[in-house]
Amino acid sequence: MRRWLGRDEVEKALVQWIDGLKLPGLLAVGYFGSYARNEPGPGSDLDLILVLEEAASPAWARVLELPLEELPVPTEALVFTLEEWRSLPIQRPRFAKTLAQETRWLQPPP
């Protein structure tokens, strides 16, 4: 019988991953979705949010720079600049509301 990792195990691995991450200008790290709600099940992925001071590359390319394969469960990441993060409630209000309600911050945004 297979057992999917629980939130505590995934969060511990995420903290270690962040500690080893060499990402200039990293301001905030959190996660949302089933793991943040403590409802993961078989096949659940980790929905990660990172906020950077600034970035030269477009949002879609920033994710490619992350070693997500080092995390113990499949992971999707959203990487925002601080400016993008601050404009999210205007650009995508429903999504921003969801994130405000359920994101579990390990390193909260400024």
Side-chain angles (χ1 to χ4, degrees), residues 22-68:
K22 305 288 189 265
L23 193 57
L26 181 63
L27 299 174
V29 180
Y31 60 97
F32 65 101
S34 61
Y35 275 102
R37 293 187 308 267
N38 204 18
E39 300 172 349
S44 290
D45 68 342
L46 180 63
D47 299 299
L48 191 59
I49 300 172
L50 293 96
V51 180
L52 307 176
E53 191 172 341
E54 58 186 24
S57 56
W60 64 267
R62 296 175 207 152
V63 175
L64 301 176
E65 300 168 13
L66 299 173
L68 298 176

Side-chain angles (χ1 to χ4, degrees), residues 10-27:
V10 169
E11 188 171 298
K12 183 179 177 184
L14 181 56
V15 168
Q16 291 174 343
W17 182 80
I18 294 164
D19 287 344
L21 195 60
K22 305 288 189 265
L23 193 57
L26 181 63
L27 299 174

